[in-house]
Amino acid sequence: MKEIGLYIHIPFCHSKCFYCDFNSHSNMEDRWSSYVEAMIKEFQMKKELLSQYIIKSIFIGGGTPSLLPITQMKKILDYININLKMKKDLEFTIESNPGTLDREKLEFYLESGINRISMGFQAWQDHILREIGRIHTKDDFVQNFKLAREVGFKNINVDLMFGLPNQTIEEWRETLENIVKLNPEHISSYSLKIEDNTIFARKYDKGLLKLPSEEEDRKMYYLAKDILTKNNYIHYEISNFSKNTYESVHNMIYWKNHEYIGVGLGAHSYINKTRTSNLIDMNEYIKNLNIGNEIHIVEEVNSMKSHISECMFLGLRLVKGINIHELNEKYKVDIEKIYEKQMKKLIGEKLLKKEGKYLFLTPKGIDLSNQVFMEFLIE
Ligand code: SF4
């Protein structure tokens, strides 16, 4: 039976972080119940599809899934546990934000099969957390992290951000050094991007955002790499680090361009080389599910050529790179022939390197990764 990843979207947050353009909404407590009911209907609608697969990873993301009360989350988890076929060693993650977790919730997650907690933290300094619109303090995070351990979570991811307004390199160092002391199994470390339609975009346009320079941003990137690898984290993807064997199974599905099914508001799926996305308007999503209508839109049906092109630029995000032999065998193609021109150019410019069956980004290639990925886009 084919394996697949399952993504479940919970689009609720306490308030909106200043940099966030995710599909998340605050002040919608009155919708929690009708949203969960609608999501169960979506699961029922997808029952036949889901029955064709065995689930190898589940990611409940958001938004802030840990904001949902146990009574609501229980409806989702009960449905999953009763109706879906899951792999024995399934990775089952829930995203959370400090300040929204307590012992009761954590124990309930663990009892319901969730075995990985992903915590959005971002920075060690309370003044930075305030300046980026986070609702929690450093102490809230440390308390929640320790509680998750105490309850029994053996696999914890921490999300960090650098290149933040008014953040110094020393503050970034302090963040990294303190996180390392807590010893999570996985750390994601992303550079701030100013996205359209965010509070930061409006401030940026008015010249009111003091961001680290491009040079400082790169220094912060390499500082993370240095500190984390010295502390036994494997740098396995451009922005992700893990202890041995703790790479994120779910994210690997995306980077390897494998199949996944998304459930929930605006959730994306990729099955049979077809990308679909669910309705993004909350009222429409709930209304349509209540009357039994389909709620997804087909965005793209990939040809083999575009599927391979995606495998290239997604796979190159992995530090290990692309296993050319594996791709050739899986898709009955000759990668080195298809991308002869691009590989020659990029290897010549020392942006890519080929060693044995692997093609991967050089350090210079990592710095200029978007430029490299562009070369593999289909014109
Ligand atoms: S908690 Fe996450 S999803 Fe919610 S507003 Fe902040 S960044 Fe966005």
Side-chain angles (χ1 to χ4, degrees):
M1 189 173 261
K2 270 178 36 171
E3 294 182 349
I4 203 159
L6 173 66
Y7 176 79
I8 299 167
H9 192 67
I10 307 294
F12 305 113
C13 282
H14 184 276
S15 57
K16 201 80 181 161
C17 301
F18 300 163
Y19 54 88
C20 178
D21 74 335
F22 298 150
N23 173 13
S24 69
H25 307 272
S26 55
N27 303 317
M28 277 211 174
E29 287 78 355
D30 58 336
R31 292 306 179 81
W32 288 356
S33 173
S34 50
Y35 179 76
V36 170
E37 295 300 335
M39 246 179 43
I40 301 292
K41 292 198 175 91
E42 189 189 345
F43 268 117
Q44 284 160 347
M45 207 178 248
K46 291 195 158 111
K47 200 169 181 173
E48 161 70 23
L49 173 70
L50 282 157
S51 71
Q52 297 164 30
Y53 296 94
I54 184 152
I55 314 281
K56 74 167 177 176
S57 78
I58 303 178
F59 194 99
I60 306 182
T64 307
S66 54
L67 196 58
L68 270 193
I70 291 179
T71 44
Q72 297 301 337
M73 188 54 81
K74 188 170 183 324
K75 291 181 193 163
I76 302 168
L77 296 176
D78 281 353
Y79 186 92
I80 291 171
N81 284 322
I82 293 169
N83 294 286
L84 305 187
K85 283 189 287 291
M86 296 186 255
K87 254 185 112 175
K88 240 188 178 156
D89 60 347
L90 164 95
E91 177 190 272
F92 194 164
T93 308
I94 188 163
E95 259 188 323
S96 68
N97 279 308
T100 61
L101 288 171
D102 56 33
R103 182 178 288 276
E104 202 191 344
K105 271 187 192 168
L106 286 161
E107 283 174 350
F108 160 70
Y109 294 158
L110 204 58
E111 281 160 15
S112 309
I114 294 175
N115 52 27
R116 185 170 183 267
I117 295 268
S118 178
M119 288 189 182
F121 176 44
Q122 320 311 350
W124 192 257
Q125 302 74 21
D126 286 343
H127 80 93
I128 294 185
L129 292 172
R130 271 195 306 277
E131 281 173 58
I132 62 175
R134 302 288 296 177
I135 57 161
H136 56 87
T137 61
K138 176 255 294 174
D139 289 343
D140 292 332
F141 164 74
V142 174
Q143 192 266 348
N144 276 187
F145 185 96
K146 290 185 173 165
L147 194 59
R149 281 285 194 238
E150 222 178 282
V151 164
F153 280 94
K154 296 188 170 62
N155 191 355
I156 304 181
N157 167 61
V158 178
D159 285 340
L160 301 177
M161 283 176 94
F162 61 93
L164 298 169
N166 300 315
Q167 183 186 37
T168 64
I169 290 179
E170 279 320 300
E171 284 172 324
W172 177 230
R173 181 191 296 281
E174 185 184 36
T175 297
L176 293 162
E177 286 176 348
N178 280 292
I179 290 302
V180 159
K181 280 186 206 148
L182 288 168
N183 205 24
E185 285 64 34
H186 192 283
I187 297 171
S188 294
S189 158
Y190 284 93
S191 171
L192 173 72
K193 297 265 171 308
I194 303 297
E195 304 288 356
D196 289 345
N197 301 317
T198 58
I199 293 177
F200 272 179
R202 290 189 281 281
K203 273 186 135 182
Y204 184 77
D205 290 344
K206 288 182 189 156
L208 296 173
L209 216 54
K210 188 179 169 290
L211 296 173
S213 66
E214 183 63 27
E215 199 189 328
E216 282 167 326
D217 183 271
R218 286 292 82 196
K219 270 191 190 158
M220 289 183 182
Y221 177 84
Y222 283 104
L223 186 64
K225 186 178 169 185
D226 186 45
I227 292 179
L228 297 179
T229 51
K230 273 185 187 143
N231 282 278
N232 300 321
Y233 286 90
I234 300 162
H235 184 207
Y236 76 101
E237 191 269 350
I238 294 182
S239 306
N240 285 278
F241 300 81
S242 78
K243 289 286 174 74
N244 194 18
T245 74
Y246 284 94
E247 296 93 351
S248 161
V249 174
H250 196 78
N251 284 347
M252 286 300 269
I253 290 175
Y254 300 140
W255 296 319
K256 293 209 156 197
N257 211 16
H258 290 171
E259 294 188 312
Y260 54 91
I261 293 175
V263 174
L265 189 73
H268 294 257
S269 302
Y270 188 46
I271 310 158
N272 294 329
K273 303 197 176 52
T274 304
R275 291 199 185 277
T276 58
S277 67
N278 284 353
L279 294 175
I280 203 150
D281 181 278
M282 177 80 73
N283 291 336
E284 289 296 308
Y285 175 82
I286 295 174
K287 193 179 89 192
N288 279 285
L289 280 162
N290 282 340
I291 53 173
N293 282 351
E294 270 300 346
I295 41 79
H296 72 260
I297 304 153
V298 173
E299 301 231 315
E300 199 178 11
V301 181
N302 268 350
S303 61
M304 180 54 87
K305 203 172 160 194
S306 46
H307 178 75
I308 299 286
S309 146
E310 287 177 354
C311 289
M312 293 303 285
F313 63 78
L314 290 170
L316 283 171
R317 293 195 60 89
L318 296 170
V319 172
K320 199 170 170 189
I322 290 164
N323 183 333
I324 293 177
H325 292 189
E326 199 181 276
L327 276 189
N328 285 346
E329 222 160 273
K330 188 164 177 189
Y331 299 112
K332 309 282 172 255
V333 290
D334 185 345
I335 294 292
E336 285 172 87
K337 203 164 168 199
I338 302 174
Y339 294 109
E340 190 182 0
K341 198 176 88 203
Q342 289 89 336
M343 282 174 64
K344 198 170 170 209
K345 175 172 179 260
L346 295 166
I347 290 171
E349 289 170 356
K350 300 204 172 354
L351 294 168
L352 280 184
K353 200 170 175 190
K354 184 173 172 286
E355 257 174 33
K357 56 190 177 188
Y358 284 98
L359 180 71
F360 55 92
L361 292 170
T362 61
K364 184 180 165 197
I366 287 182
D367 284 343
L368 301 170
S369 56
N370 284 337
Q371 192 180 311
V372 176
F373 301 154
M374 290 295 288
E375 293 285 340
F376 292 99
L377 282 178
I378 285 187
E379 310 86 47

